Structures are given as structure tokens and as C-alpha cells.
């Protein structure tokens, strides 16, 4: 019997409930957003006892479906004030699913400030005082937790930034090597976890593929088809394992859409030094523990992840992804891979989202607090100021929008308080529509229009023109909401978009897993339903169409090299949610 | 003859080692040369080419090169 685990931090008790019938088809983002919408008052303060933090594996997570081990973490966001789902890889989601836990809901708040560790196993769940573990960075924390609870345990935890309640704090999850680098980074969910007095959740469970499947035979058939599609598509079969996601650095740079020096240009002179090709080269020449083609969880057959080696071949950082390499690189004018890897390591250790951190440092550089390209200055900001929660560190930890306001900066690339990822919406207009209208604030994963705008996957829509972008962003947001509920990695979307038998295979897996009919039409409707719920929550929290806009400067400040502004009209943006 | 610069990325790098990472290779080609013709001359297997950009704008294989064009060529790539 699948269940829902409620962890009440007010009375420090854990209760197990049977999964309610109406939740039986929900997983991942559909589960987290449904519970948050149903149980959290939209106007609640995100760090108050009235907020809830929900962890949910996808419907296919913990099965043998390829690349299906993704985790959704949801709550009301202290960064954006909206509902939030942040998605992560790592080994924890499969353990949750294998333990029969469809959702783990953390609620309430301890009366006295203090930190706890939640330990979950097949025998049950208990809260233990965190003791000396409180205050630790995630690397040391993970090492000690494996020493105490056994090698291989799943760990979802926060660093000092989360403990301090910083709106840019993420929730870390570990990979098979116990690197804490698989983050549910976006939207400050680490601060919500900190506000609940929860330092870490430890999953003691050596099972990976034990989620219940009603019809194993049909499941296998459908699973084979999806695997075939993934291994047939050149992106998932070749490009991602060989060069990782950072293969995008060069193509966005060529396209003039790689935000550089706080979104003041679309091209970065040192871009190539920070891209996937350069990372692959580094792994080859330095050897040691360096590796491309690393999987963030067992059963991923795409393996886009990597381990970046330092000069001695030891682990500098794992993984270094496109968004992080850009945020801490081009956006800050930093073109040295070792420096970027160090900054990413520090984000992982202190417990910060890499994207928001890079965007925030970019804004600080714009403000003149430190010059563009100042890697050492950026390192000191994270390692000294943020780690120790100094007043300046708290400003950085509050994200780009707050930082811009504190320092009087106009060019602040945020939507709904969240920093923009690695695509300038003036040169990649489809992603601009997603940034503006997503229920999550500026989020590329919510509707990845870069596929058709730049990569020519799922057709081609000219990135420099306004035409066609709204339809593109709408359809992708709907499809993504479903994928985020399934537990499949979003990168399966490349074959799902291009290969016609792939999506029906996913629907068939749903049917076989749940033991009831499930069609592609059901999947699309499920995606729409997630968006409607999220949107309704945001409206009740005070968001209007005036919030579905890009920052003003993008309407008049021309972006080099194409000298373009964002010119999708407000009326068009308002038509995204017409379903 | 006209002068252009070209960059090959990801798995296509092997057909033209750049002078330094990300730096374009300067080439002289006869007037009227198309992207297709240029790639054939360089020995790039055309079936591996997915995206061509000229001066940062997606271009077709039939595009006729002009003086000072910056050409970028990619196999299928993605990320996010
Ligand atoms: S493709 Fe990459 S991010 Fe997705 S599940 Fe595999 S390793 Fe993780």
C-alpha cells in the first residue's frame, strides 16, 4: 500500500497515512503542487509554520523506466511568493518510491529553534536532534551522515544558507558518490526546510526499483520503447553523455543569446573556455576522478552529468551543468573553468542555487561592489559572507531582485523575484514567454522553448521573431508539467518531441504502473490541471497579469550582437493561459 | 576570393582544430561558395550536421557565403 508520510515539526511526530484515493494518479510536481495548493494558505509567509514542504517522487520513479529517478520538492517559495516546484536528480527519489512513500510532507515548526535529522527506513521514521551536524556545509554533513547511517543512504539536506533562512537557499540531494550537488535549487526551498528546523532527511534503504507496478509485462514492453527512443535520438544518445548540458554554451554564444556580464551582451569572449567541449577536454587531460557521461541516479541511460577534476585529478565539483557554468561564468565575466567549478562547489556546500547566485553576483558586479571577472572576489563572497550570514552575505543570499534594490541597480534580470537562467529572452524570445508567464517565476525548465528556437528539436521557431512563441511556450509548459509529474528527467523530452512512439509509450507505462487505462490525452490534461492549480494558488497569493512580464529594461535596451529587444506584446503574454 | 571564419563544435571539432578553443579559423573561399560546399571541402560528414548559424542566425545549407561571415556548425546538441 502506498502512503503519505507527515512529519510534524511542531510536536516532532511522524505519521503515516494511506494515500488518499484522489491522489492516486499524482506524482512529482502534480503531487507537490496539489498538496501545497490544498493545505497552504496562499497568503501565508513562506517561512512561517503555515507553509509546508513536500517531497514527492514521480509516478514512474522507482520503476525500471529509463531516466525516471527524479524528485520534486514543493512549497510556497520565499523567493518568489508563488507556489514552487523544484526538480532534482540524485538517489533519494527512487528510495522514497521503493519505500512506498508517494509524498513526504513536512509541516509545522518547532517551538524552540533547533535542528533535527529525519531518518526514514522500512521500519519507520524518526526525528533525531541534529546536534553538532547543525551549521555544517553539505559536503562534511553528507560524509558524516554516511558514516552514521551507512554508505549509500539517500540524503536531502540544507547548508548554512538554508539554516539562516536565506531566500536563495536550495535543498541538496546526493548522488551515488555522496556529492551533495544534485539540487532542488530554485526558489529558496532550503530556507523553508531550515524554517522547519530540519537539517537533513536520511533515507536508509538499499532498494532502488521497488515501486509497485500493477502490470509488469506491459510495463516492460512500454519501457523498452522509451529506452529505444532515448538511445535512438542523437541528443540523448550522443551529445549529452559526451559533452554534458554545457555543450549549450557555444551554441547559445553563437546565437547571441548567452547572457554576459549581467545580461548586457549576448556573447562572451571566453565562452568556449567554459563549455562542454572544454570540460570534456579537462577530464581527458587531467584524468583522475574527472568524468563525463555520469548518471545522477541508477537507471539513467542518458547520463548528462559529469565530475570536474581539479589539477590533481581530485573532484573539484560534481556536476558542473550548463546553467551553473553560465551563471557563475559568462554572467559574471568569469572565463576560467577552475574558478567556476570552485564557485559551484561553494554553492553546493553553503547550500545555494547556482543560477540565482550567479545572477545575484552579476547584479553586484554591475553595482560596482566587485568588477566583472573577479573570481576571487566572488569566491570570498560565498565562502566568507554568505557562509557566515554576514549582513552582506544575507543580501547575496536573498537573491538578485533584493540585491538590485539594495544597490540601486536598474538592470536586474528577474521575473516574480527569481533570477533568469542562461538564455537572454531578447535573442531567444520563446524562452522569454516562459520566463514571463511560468507559475514559477523566471524558469527555463517550465517550458523549454530553446528546443525549437535554437536546437531545432520539435520543429523550428525563429528565436528573433515574436511570431509563434506564445503557442510554443504554452504547449511546452503543459507537456513539462506532465513530465515533471512522471519522474522522468526533462531531457527525455528531446526524444518525446521528435519520435512519435515515445509519448504513447510513457502513457502505457503509466497505465501499467497504476493498473488503469491512461492515454496521451490524459497526460496532456494532467499537465493542464497542474498549471491551473498552480496559477490559482498564485492568483490567491496576489499575483496578476502585471506580474507576467519581463523586466522593463528588456523592452528598450538592445542586446548585442543582434541589437534586439523583447517585443512579444503584453496581450500575447496574457493569452498563454487560455486553456 | 572572400574571407570568412568558421567554428565547428562538439563532435565536429575533429574536422578542424581551432587555433584556440572557441576561436574561429579564418579561411579564404571562392565567391559563390555555399555552406554546403564549404563543409564538403572540409570533409565534414553532412549527415552529422544539424545546425548552421551564420553571424548568429540559423542558416540553410544553400546559404551563399559573404565577405566576413562568421559560420558556426553543430551536430545535434541540447541540454538545459
Ligand atoms: S539525463 Fe542527466 S539530469 Fe537527467 S537523470 Fe540522467 S544524469 Fe540526471
Amino acid at each position: 500500500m502506498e502512503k503519505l508520510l507527515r512529519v510534524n515539526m511542531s510536536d516532532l511526530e511522524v505519521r503515516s497515512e494511506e494515500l488518499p484515493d484522489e491522489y492516486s494518479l499524482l506524482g512529482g510536481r502534480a503531487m507537490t503542487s496539489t498538496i501545497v495548493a490544498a493545505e497552504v494558505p496562499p497568503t501565508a509567509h513562506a517561512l512561517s509554520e503555515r507553509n509546508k514542504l513536500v517531497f514527492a517522487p514521480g509516478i514512474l520513479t522507482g520503476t525500471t523506466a529509463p531516466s525516471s529517478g527524479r524528485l520534486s520538492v514543493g512549497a510556497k517559495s520565499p523567493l518568489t511568493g508563488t507556489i514552487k516546484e523544484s526538480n532534482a536528480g540524485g538517489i533519494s527519489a527512487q528510495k522514497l518510491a521503493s519505500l512506498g512513500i508517494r509524498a513526504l510532507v513536512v509541516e509545522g515548526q518547532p517551538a524552540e529553534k533547533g535542528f533535527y535529522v529525519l531518518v526514514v527506513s522500512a521500519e519507520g521514521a524518526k526525528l533525531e536532534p541534529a546536534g553538532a551536524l547543525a551549521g555544517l556545509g553539505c559536503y562534511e554533513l553528507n560524509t558524516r551522515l554516511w558514516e552514521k547511517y551507512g554508505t549509500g543512504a539517500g540524503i536531502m539536506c540544507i547548508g548554512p544558507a538554508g539554516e539562516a533562512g536565506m531566500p536563495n537557499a536550495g535543498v541538496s540531494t546526493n548522488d551515488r558518490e555522496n556529492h551533495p550537488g544534485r539540487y532542488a535549487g530554485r526558489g529558496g526551498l532550503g530556507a523553508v526546510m531550515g524554517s522547519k528546523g530540519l537539517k537533513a532527511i536520511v533515507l536508509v534503504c538499499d532498494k532502488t526499483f521497488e515501486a509497485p507496478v500493477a502490470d509488469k509485462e506491459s510495463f516492460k514492453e512500454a519501457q523498452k520503447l522509451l529506452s529505444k527512443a532515448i538511445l535512438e535520438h542523437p541528443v540523448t544518445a550522443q551529445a549529452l553523455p559526451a559533452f554534458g548540458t554545457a555543450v549549450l554554451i557555444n551554441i547559445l554564444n553563437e546565437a547571441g543569446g548567452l547572457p554576459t556580464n549581467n545580461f548586457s551582451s549576448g556573447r562572451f569572449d571566453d565562452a568556449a573556455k567554459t563549455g562542454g567541449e572544454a570540460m570534456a577536454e579537462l577530464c581527458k587531460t587531467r584524468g583522475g576522478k574527472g568524468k563525463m557521461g555520469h548518471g545522477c541516479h541508477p537507471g539513467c541511460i542518458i547520463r548528462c552529468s559529469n565530475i570536474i577534476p581539479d589539477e590533481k585529478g581530485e573532484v573539484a565539483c560534481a556536476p558542473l551543468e550548463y546553467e551553473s557554468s553560465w551563471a557563475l561564468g559568462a554572467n559574471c565575466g568569469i572565463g576560467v573553468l577552475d574558478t567556476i567549478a570552485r564557485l559551484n562547489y561553494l554553492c553546493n556546500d553553503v547550500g545555494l542555487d547556482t543560477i540565482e547566485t550567479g545572477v545575484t553576483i552579476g547584479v553586484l558586479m554591475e553595482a560596482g561592489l566587485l568588477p566583472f571577472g573577479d573570481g576571487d572576489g566572488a569566491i570570498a563572497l560565498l565562502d566568507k559572507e554568505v557562509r557566515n550570514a554576514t549582513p552582506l552575505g544575507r543580501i547575496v543570499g536573498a537573491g538578485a531582485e533584493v540585491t538590485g534594490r539594495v544597490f540601486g541597480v536598474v538592470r536586474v534580470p528577474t521575473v516574480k523575484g527569481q533570477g533568469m537562467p542562461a538564455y537572454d529572452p531578447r535573442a531567444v524570445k520563446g524562452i522569454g514567454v516562459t520566463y514571463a508567464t511560468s507559475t514559477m517565476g523566471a524558469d527555463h525548465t517550465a517550458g523549454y522553448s530553446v528546443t525549437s528556437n535554437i536546437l531545432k528539436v520539435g520543429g523550428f521557431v525563429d528565436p528573433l521573431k515574436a511570431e509563434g512563441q506564445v503557442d510554443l511556450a504554452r504547449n511546452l509548459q503543459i507537456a513539462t508539467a506532465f513530465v515533471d509529474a512522471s519522474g522522468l528527467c526533462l531531457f527525455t523530452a528531446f526524444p518525446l518531441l521528435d519520435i512519435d512512439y515515445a509519448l504513447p509509450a510513457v502513457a502505457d507505462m503509466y497505465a501499467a504502473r497504476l493498473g488503469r487505462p491512461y492515454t496521451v490525452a490524459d497526460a496532456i490534461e494532467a499537465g493542464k490541471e497542474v498549471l491551473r492549480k498552480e496559477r490559482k494558488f498564485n492568483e490567491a497569493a496576489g499575483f496578476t497579469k502585471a506580474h507576467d512580464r519581463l523586466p522593463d529594461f528588456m523592452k528598450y535596451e538592445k542586446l548585442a550582437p543582434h541589437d534586439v529587444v523583447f517585443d512579444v506584446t503584453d496581450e500575447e503574454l496574457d493569452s498563454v493561459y487560455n486553456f | 576570393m572572400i574571407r570568412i571564419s568558421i567554428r565547428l563544435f562538439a563532435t565536429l571539432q575533429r574536422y578542424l582544430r581551432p587555433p584556440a578553443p572557441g576561436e574561429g579559423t579564418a579561411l579564404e573561399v571562392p565567391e559563390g561558395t555555399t555552406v554546403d560546399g564549404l563543409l564538403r571541402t572540409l570533409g565534414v560528414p553532412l549527415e552529422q550536421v544539424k545546425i548552421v548559424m551564420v553571424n548568429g542566425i540559423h542558416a540553410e545549407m544553400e546559404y551563399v557565403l559573404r565577405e566576413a561571415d562568421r559560420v558556426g556548425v553543430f551536430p545535434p546538441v541540447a541540454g538545459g
Side-chain angles (χ1 to χ4, degrees):
Chain A
M1 192 65 228
E2 295 185 89
K3 61 192 178 211
L4 208 148
L5 212 60
R6 283 191 190 271
V7 183
N8 188 316
M9 298 304 296
S10 298
D11 54 19
L12 300 175
E13 281 192 1
V14 186
R15 274 182 298 131
S16 177
E17 291 172 8
E18 219 172 84
L19 187 73
D21 267 353
E22 64 270 29
Y23 288 1
S24 63
L25 300 182
L26 306 178
R29 176 176 172 186
M31 180 69 90
T32 62
S33 286
T34 297
I35 293 179
V36 172
E39 301 184 12
V40 176
T43 51
H45 192 291
L47 301 185
S48 74
E49 62 173 352
R50 278 146 60 90
N51 201 1
K52 298 193 182 191
L53 183 66
V54 187
F55 296 80
I59 289 288
L60 300 178
T61 305
T63 70
T64 47
S67 307
S68 62
R70 304 287 302 186
L71 174 76
S72 288
V73 187
K76 175 170 173 165
S77 161
L79 186 76
T80 61
T82 64
I83 199 166
K84 175 62 71 178
E85 183 260 0
S86 193
N87 199 281
I91 59 176
S92 288
Q94 290 169 319
K95 293 183 190 294
L96 281 174
S98 292
L99 288 165
I101 300 171
R102 288 278 287 273
L104 189 157
V105 186
V106 185
E107 45 198 32
Q109 211 157 50
E112 272 172 51
K113 196 159 165 65
F115 286 95
Y116 295 84
V117 173
L118 174 72
V119 186
V120 184
S121 67
E123 280 73 54
K126 58 177 189 293
L127 283 159
E128 298 176 355
L133 298 175
L136 289 185
C138 296
Y139 283 88
E140 177 69 20
L141 176 67
N142 277 15
T143 304
R144 296 227 206 146
L145 288 172
W146 266 23
E147 277 165 18
K148 185 157 180 203
Y149 297 102
T151 297
I155 299 173
M156 306 183 283
C157 69
I158 57 170
E163 290 184 37
M166 295 185 195
N168 175 25
V171 174
S172 156
T173 81
N174 61 342
D175 62 13
R176 281 172 286 186
E177 291 80 18
N178 209 17
H179 306 126
R182 312 301 322 190
Y183 260 80
R186 306 238 69 194
L189 300 179
V192 178
M193 190 157 158
S195 76
K196 307 264 174 240
L198 199 53
K199 177 67 176 168
I201 300 172
V202 182
L203 304 169
V204 184
C205 165
D206 52 18
K207 299 195 176 79
T208 304
F209 302 115
E210 303 283 325
V213 172
D215 179 351
K216 293 203 168 83
E217 276 312 302
S218 317
F219 193 90
K220 249 195 209 137
E221 286 308 305
Q223 167 200 331
K224 271 191 212 144
L225 280 179
L226 181 63
S227 298
K228 179 165 177 278
I230 291 173
L231 295 175
E232 222 164 66
H233 197 282
V235 162
T236 37
Q238 284 131 35
L240 282 171
F243 299 107
T245 57
V247 74
L248 288 181
I249 292 265
N250 283 316
I251 192 164
L252 264 300
N253 193 53
E254 274 310 294
L258 187 74
T260 300
N261 292 357
N262 187 35
F263 287 74
S264 60
S265 167
R267 280 224 178 114
F268 180 45
D269 285 345
D270 287 335
K273 296 180 188 158
T274 67
E277 291 93 331
M279 292 177 193
E281 190 66 29
L282 204 68
C283 287
K284 209 163 80 191
T285 52
R286 287 186 178 169
K289 294 188 174 141
K291 183 178 173 155
M292 303 298 279
H294 175 262
C296 76
H297 69 269
C300 177
I301 59 172
I302 305 174
R303 296 174 293 114
C304 77
S305 185
N306 57 22
I307 300 175
I308 300 296
D310 67 11
E311 277 165 358
K312 297 190 202 90
E314 288 302 313
V315 181
C317 177
L320 183 49
E321 293 181 53
Y322 169 62
E323 304 294 332
S324 310
S325 180
W326 158 79
L328 304 163
N331 192 53
C332 297
I334 296 172
V336 182
L337 216 40
D338 284 316
T339 307
I340 296 170
R342 183 70 197 159
L343 286 166
N344 195 337
Y345 171 94
L346 286 169
C347 286
N348 293 349
D349 196 44
V350 175
L352 297 168
D353 175 38
T354 51
I355 297 177
E356 192 69 36
T357 301
V359 176
T360 306
I361 295 175
V363 169
L364 274 177
M365 287 174 164
E366 170 103 35
L369 191 85
L370 66 172
F372 282 107
D374 182 2
D376 290 340
I379 287 172
L381 266 182
L382 301 186
D383 207 11
K384 303 217 165 70
E385 308 291 345
V386 184
R387 188 189 292 280
N388 298 311
T390 65
L392 176 59
R394 282 188 169 278
I395 294 171
V396 177
E401 187 149 303
V402 167
T403 299
R405 206 170 292 162
V406 171
F407 286 88
V409 177
V410 174
R411 192 187 292 127
V412 180
T414 56
V415 178
K416 300 185 180 80
Q418 180 164 287
M420 278 182 197
Y423 318 85
D424 196 301
R426 290 165 287 187
V428 192
K429 293 186 202 284
I431 203 70
V433 175
T434 295
Y435 289 166
T437 59
S438 150
T439 49
M440 302 284 151
D443 177 354
H444 61 296
T445 64
Y448 194 62
S449 309
V450 179
T451 48
S452 299
N453 276 180
I454 302 289
L455 308 171
K456 292 196 169 173
V457 172
F460 179 63
V461 178
D462 188 337
L464 298 171
K465 301 216 171 83
E467 286 82 59
Q469 309 295 2
V470 162
D471 288 341
L472 177 65
R474 178 192 303 115
N475 292 336
L476 287 170
Q477 288 193 56
I478 293 168
T480 302
F482 169 72
V483 174
D484 285 344
S486 71
L488 290 172
C489 177
L490 198 48
F491 296 150
T492 60
F494 301 116
L496 289 180
L497 285 166
D498 274 345
I499 299 176
D500 57 3
Y501 61 78
L503 189 55
V506 175
D508 289 348
M509 278 191 281
Y510 255 63
R513 154 85 163 95
L514 298 166
R516 49 153 284 157
Y518 204 89
T519 63
V520 168
D522 292 330
I524 304 291
E525 185 49 36
K528 287 182 182 170
E529 191 51 34
V530 170
L531 292 175
R532 284 189 206 111
K533 276 181 197 161
E534 292 173 347
R535 185 113 174 135
K536 200 167 153 219
F537 180 95
N538 289 350
E539 278 168 8
F543 287 85
T544 67
K545 59 187 180 184
H547 297 94
D548 287 346
R549 301 289 182 260
L550 295 189
D552 200 43
F553 78 89
M554 291 189 162
K555 291 187 186 153
Y556 59 83
E557 219 178 80
K558 289 185 179 162
L559 183 77
H562 296 305
D563 289 333
V564 275
V565 296
F566 187 75
D567 57 359
V568 179
T569 65
D570 292 350
E571 291 70 37
E572 285 176 284
L573 291 177
D574 293 340
S575 71
V576 168
Y577 283 89
N578 65 0
F579 52 87
Chain B
M1 300 292 268
I2 54 167
R3 289 195 309 177
I4 58 128
S5 77
I6 178 161
R7 292 166 172 78
L8 304 181
F9 293 103
T11 44
L12 302 179
Q13 285 180 116
R14 70 173 79 115
Y15 298 100
L16 187 69
R17 272 281 159 193
E23 226 169 83
T25 303
L27 290 179
E28 288 208 347
V29 296
E31 245 168 272
T33 301
T34 58
V35 169
D36 181 281
L38 172 66
L39 293 178
R40 281 173 200 274
T41 317
L42 293 172
V44 178
L46 298 184
E47 71 282 0
Q48 290 180 22
V49 173
K50 168 94 176 182
I51 298 159
V52 175
M53 286 191 212
V54 178
N55 306 320
I57 294 174
H58 288 82
E60 301 297 327
M61 292 298 245
E62 301 75 44
Y63 174 91
V64 179
L65 294 165
R66 291 192 218 139
E67 177 69 22
D69 273 348
R70 167 178 173 150
V71 184
V73 187
F74 298 83
V77 292

